[in-house]
Amino acid sequence: MRTPLGPFVSACLLSMALLAAATGCGVAGADGDPAAAADGVLHFQPVAAQGPDPFTDSTAVSRATPPPAVRTPRPVSADAASVALDGLRPLSGGTPGLYGGIRHVGSCDVTRQIGRLAAHPARTRAFAGVAGVSAAALPTYLRGLTPVVLRADTRVTNHGYRDGRAAGYQAVLQSGTAVLVDDRGVPRVRCACGNPLKAPAAAGDEPVTRGTPWPGYRPSEVIVVTPAPRAITDLTLVSTVDDTWIGRRLGHDTRHDRPVPTPAWVTGAPTPAPSSPPTTPPADTPTTPPADTPTTPPADTPSAPPSQGEESEKASEEVFEESYEVPYEVPYADPYGGLYEDPYGDPYEDPYEDLPDGGVPADVV
């Protein structure tokens, strides 16, 4: 009698799946790459450190440390927030100010990166496998990436080249690291080692760490970059030289960099309201005269009544004028004008006025 193989095979497959889940084998990272499986080890990678098993030598151009990222960027969408892992703060790859750079200067030498990989076909194939393109299309893929520098410590799945293949591991890249990002703003190449990058995988609550954290490292400030909701054509960067803002087209060519205004959410300036169209009053509606044009009310139109203060002042003036008119002008006319006329004018007239000189009156003997 033949034993049916269906249940037996199903039981075997189920056992294999449980074993794989228990051991962590075949667990894909956020990009669906089996090589990105976390092994419970987290590597600290400073700006210039190559790390284990680099694909190429460094193709980074600038190692200038940019100013720290603004800690209050625009909020990310609910979809982006849902992919956060290990308590990391997700930020969309299209967030203005997420990356830095120098105007007209790429942080990575893409041509050199292509040449280093082309010299080793096996490395080219391994790199292309992580990037999800063919080996022949890899140069075009790399030229389509944009050189920038990180402005925050960032979690990624890095890939070293070991035993003829790409070996993924979890890493924290220091702020200031030169990377190439894709058209969703996600880091895809670390230029200090030429390694391909993918989205991070969970490293567990207490991962084993390799390397020494740099001064200023704060686990709570590490971010994970999530893909922008749609493909972008420009990145808004912060200059690592003078903190101005730069608009950079997607791609390795930085000759078209241009200055752009500081975003309003950085300065706190309110967004101006849309202007309303001017309104024209109807023809029969009188317009208000200019401020410097005197207005004279019509003769039969009473002027506006004075304010309460003006009335009080006017009343006071009138009372003052009436009260202090000269009240004594008539009552105090000189009543003695006639009484004080000289009553002795005649008695003291010269009695000898009509006598000849030396004469005496007739009645004087």
Side-chain angles (χ1 to χ4, degrees):
M1 178 177 176
R2 298 179 61 184
T3 305
L5 296 179
F8 177 78
V9 173
S10 299
C12 289
L13 292 176
L14 180 59
S15 299
M16 292 175 64
L18 292 174
L19 180 62
T23 58
C25 297
V27 179
D31 285 318
D33 179 13
D39 57 2
V41 177
L42 184 62
H43 296 256
F44 293 107
Q45 296 195 301
V47 170
Q50 285 196 312
D53 308 313
F55 260 77
T56 67
D57 59 357
S58 176
T59 58
V61 174
S62 174
R63 297 181 181 179
T65 302
V70 178
R71 296 301 174 189
T72 55
R74 288 180 175 177
V76 296
S77 64
D79 292 338
S82 66
V83 302
L85 73 164
D86 294 343
L88 300 178
R89 186 164 58 104
L91 288 178
S92 170
T95 303
L98 178 61
Y99 299 116
I102 299 176
R103 190 177 174 189
H104 302 307
V105 178
S107 57
C108 303
D109 189 335
V110 175
T111 302
R112 184 178 175 187
Q113 180 73 46
I114 294 171
R116 292 292 186 271
L117 289 172
H120 302 278
R123 293 174 185 261
T124 298
R125 290 191 296 271
F127 192 110
V130 176
V133 299
S134 66
L138 187 58
T140 302
Y141 168 78
L142 291 174
R143 290 190 185 98
L145 302 179
T146 307
V148 296
V149 295
L150 303 177
R151 295 189 65 228
D153 298 340
T154 306
R155 268 283 302 278
V156 296
T157 295
N158 203 342
H159 295 79
Y161 182 75
R162 185 170 65 247
D163 300 331
R165 67 182 184 88
Y169 59 91
Q170 298 307 298
V172 180
L173 307 183
Q174 183 186 10
S175 173
T177 297
V179 295
L180 298 174
V181 301
D182 64 12
D183 62 355
R184 297 298 180 97
V186 178
R188 294 304 182 189
V189 180
R190 182 171 183 258
C191 304
C193 52
N195 290 358
L197 305 175
K198 301 200 84 171
D205 295 334
E206 296 182 359
V208 177
T209 58
R210 300 281 176 83
T212 303
W214 40 88
Y217 170 75
R218 298 289 184 274
S220 61
E221 296 180 357
V222 177
I223 69 167
V224 56
V225 179
T226 60
R230 60 186 62 86
I232 56 180
T233 58
D234 295 85
L235 289 172
T236 302
L237 314 178
V238 177
S239 171
T240 59
V241 176
D242 55 10
D243 289 352
T244 56
W245 291 73
I246 302 169
R248 176 169 292 177
R249 292 183 186 177
L250 267 289
H252 75 288
D253 189 353
T254 60
R255 291 176 298 176
H256 301 289
D257 287 357
R258 65 195 185 284
V260 294
T262 302
W265 58 269
V266 175
T267 61
T271 303
S275 57
S276 301
T279 58
T280 304
D284 57 349
T285 302
T287 58
T288 303
D292 55 352
T293 303
T295 58
T296 304
D300 57 348
T301 302
S303 58
S307 63
Q308 184 175 359
E310 294 176 349
E311 291 180 349
S312 300
E313 183 178 355
K314 185 175 181 181
S316 300
E317 293 176 354
E318 292 174 354
V319 171
F320 179 86
E321 292 176 356
E322 294 175 357
S323 302
Y324 287 90
E325 289 180 355
V326 183
Y328 310 109
E329 182 175 359
V330 176
Y332 286 90
D334 189 0
Y336 306 105
L339 300 178
Y340 284 92
E341 290 181 0
D342 187 1
Y344 307 105
D346 292 338
Y348 286 94
E349 289 181 357
D350 188 357
Y352 306 106
E353 182 177 8
D354 297 331
L355 295 180
D357 292 339
V360 295
D363 54 349
V364 175
V365 179

